[in-house]
Amino acid sequence: MPTMPPRSPAGQPDGPSDRRGAWFESDAGRALLDSEAGSIRDALAERSGQSWLWLAPAAQAVDSIGRGLQLQATGDGWDGPVRCALPLPLANESVAAVVVQHSAAVGRPGGTLIAECARVLVPGGRLWLYVLNPLSPYRWHWKGSGLRAAEPMHWRRHLREAGLQPDGMSRGLGPRWRIEASPELQQGPGVRAAYLLRAEKRSIPLTPVRQRAALRIGEGVPAA
């Protein structure tokens, strides 16, 4: 993992915690985070031995899964082992997996954030994007909190604009209405509280140049 700058209030965001992110500390919010925990563990362990980045709406247990950096949305930036705003304090192509967990829901700029995630991903690395489902009845639990939800088509556009290739189908997870963890993944968002959309950073191979066939000169015609 690249060396991180120390936490310092100088020149860094130091505002109050984002009020929208506080919903994830409620019983309804924690039920959703608990539903996503197993999937996130799979994401962080997918490329064993390589570094990862996890952008979360609230602090969560990491379970010492490899080497990585978890940051929580706070104020206008991110907090954790380092305090920062965009651009992220990571080198280009320095992490193998990025988990973006409801960061857009708490007001982080979607397109800019996705572009930053694409920048720090290694070729072949994967972005795991967790988004609130606007069609789920669970939305009544976050009503009035200021959280944002969007359908998969919106995020597919941002992913492609950043040069990432999204999976063909998103996967729904989390509760439907009752406040209880529901970690089983399903095909398509359905009416689950959230959905997972994965996208890969594919390296573009150099186009091989086809060699031209050697020009063959026929034998000369004998003189009469």
Side-chain angles (χ1 to χ4, degrees), residues 40-52 65-67 95-98 121-128 199-202:
I40 289 177
R41 281 195 297 270
D42 291 343
L44 303 184
E46 185 179 41
R47 302 283 291 270
S48 178
Q50 299 189 48
S51 300
W52 47 260
I65 304 172
R67 300 175 301 159
V95 297
V98 177
L121 269 175
V122 300
R126 189 146 33 192
L127 171 65
W128 299 59
E200 184 179 345
K201 181 175 182 178
R202 296 182 179 174

Side-chain angles (χ1 to χ4, degrees), residues 14 22 26 28 40 45 64 71 76 81 83 109 119 129 133 149 188 206 224:
D14 195 21
S26 69
I40 289 177
S64 300
L71 297 176
D76 293 327
R83 183 175 295 172
R119 177 183 68 81
L129 182 66
N133 182 4
L206 295 175

Side-chain angles (χ1 to χ4, degrees), residues 82-165:
V82 296
R83 183 175 295 172
C84 64
L86 296 181
L88 297 167
L90 292 170
N92 294 349
E93 299 183 354
S94 57
V95 297
V98 177
V99 172
V100 178
Q101 187 184 25
H102 305 299
S103 295
V106 295
R108 298 301 175 268
T112 305
L113 179 59
I114 296 300
E116 269 295 280
C117 293
R119 177 183 68 81
V120 303
L121 269 175
V122 300
R126 189 146 33 192
L127 171 65
W128 299 59
L129 182 66
Y130 295 80
V131 183
L132 294 176
N133 182 4
L135 304 180
S136 172
Y138 205 73
R139 68 185 184 275
W140 294 104
H141 290 297
W142 70 70
K143 184 179 180 181
S145 65
L147 294 176
R148 301 175 183 177
E151 296 186 20
M153 185 179 299
H154 169 84
W155 288 106
R156 288 181 185 279
R157 184 175 69 251
H158 281 314
L159 292 166
R160 291 193 178 102
E161 287 173 350
L164 302 175
Q165 181 59 45

